[in-house]
Amino acid sequence: MSMGFIVGPLVVFMIFVAPLWLVLHYRSKKHVSEGLSGDDQEKLQELVARAEQMQERIVTLERILDAEVPQWRRKS
């Protein structure tokens, strides 16, 4: 085996792949550490409000079913 067989790919890796990998790695870490953007927080608040609305509707539906069909929970 010659040293050129190992050195060539190693040089290509060190010149092209490693720097690109490091840049992309630290850029993604920075993005994650910044947290939610303003738009993401707005969407999250909207989803929370919808979930609370759905919970209220479910409670209302369960009360109606409890009043009209007392045994409905046992039928499933």
Side-chain angles (χ1 to χ4, degrees):
M1 278 192 169
S2 69
M3 262 327 239
F5 181 70
I6 296 172
V7 174
L10 185 60
V11 168
V12 170
F13 178 81
M14 295 300 288
I15 291 175
F16 297 106
V17 177
L20 181 62
W21 177 56
L22 287 171
V23 167
L24 293 175
H25 172 72
Y26 285 108
R27 187 169 64 174
S28 70
K29 278 197 161 278
K30 180 183 175 192
H31 182 67
V32 168
S33 69
E34 289 176 354
L36 296 176
S37 68
D39 189 42
D40 289 340
Q41 278 195 327
E42 185 179 318
K43 288 178 184 178
L44 183 60
Q45 290 299 326
E46 183 180 326
L47 289 173
V48 168
R50 286 184 181 183
E52 289 172 350
Q53 247 183 352
M54 288 176 65
Q55 181 63 32
E56 290 173 12
R57 289 177 180 175
I58 290 169
V59 168
T60 301
L61 288 171
E62 287 178 343
R63 285 184 189 146
I64 292 169
L65 283 171
D66 285 337
E68 294 186 9
V69 186
Q71 304 298 321
W72 73 273
R73 292 180 194 264
R74 294 185 197 154
K75 290 182 180 180
S76 45

